[in-house]
Amino acid sequence: MISQDLLEMLRCPLSPSDTRLRLESDRLACERCALRFLIKDGFPILVAEEAELPPGCTSLNQLPCRRDMKKDAPTG
């Protein structure tokens, strides 16, 4: 189980300044993009490439935080 203090500090690695994670049984879910991170032996695995994508999403690039990053990126 993850303590409430730790849960309050954890953020989604794709958009750490904007998001919080919520506990959903054996996973942590990003409140913004719904990416779901497995908790293994009491430790959250906060690696986006290993996370479960939300329904209807086939790649990390389709997540709202990734689309927003591309939109805000400087053009050369």
Side-chain angles (χ1 to χ4, degrees), residues 8-71:
E8 289 177 16
M9 289 187 278
L10 294 174
R11 300 289 185 266
C12 179
L14 296 181
S15 186
S17 62
D18 298 337
T19 59
R20 298 187 76 81
L21 298 173
R22 67 180 177 276
L23 187 59
E24 294 182 349
S25 64
D26 65 339
R27 301 187 189 282
L28 292 176
C30 175
E31 291 180 342
R32 181 174 186 209
C33 66
L35 200 59
R36 296 179 69 213
F37 302 92
L38 183 65
I39 300 170
K40 187 174 182 179
D41 298 326
F43 296 97
I45 310 300
L46 298 178
V47 178
E49 291 78 12
E50 294 183 22
E52 179 183 323
L53 295 167
C57 188
T58 59
S59 76
L60 292 174
N61 290 330
Q62 293 178 328
L63 295 171
C65 51
R66 287 291 177 119
R67 289 193 309 258
D68 293 346
M69 284 173 53
K70 288 179 182 180
K71 187 173 26 175

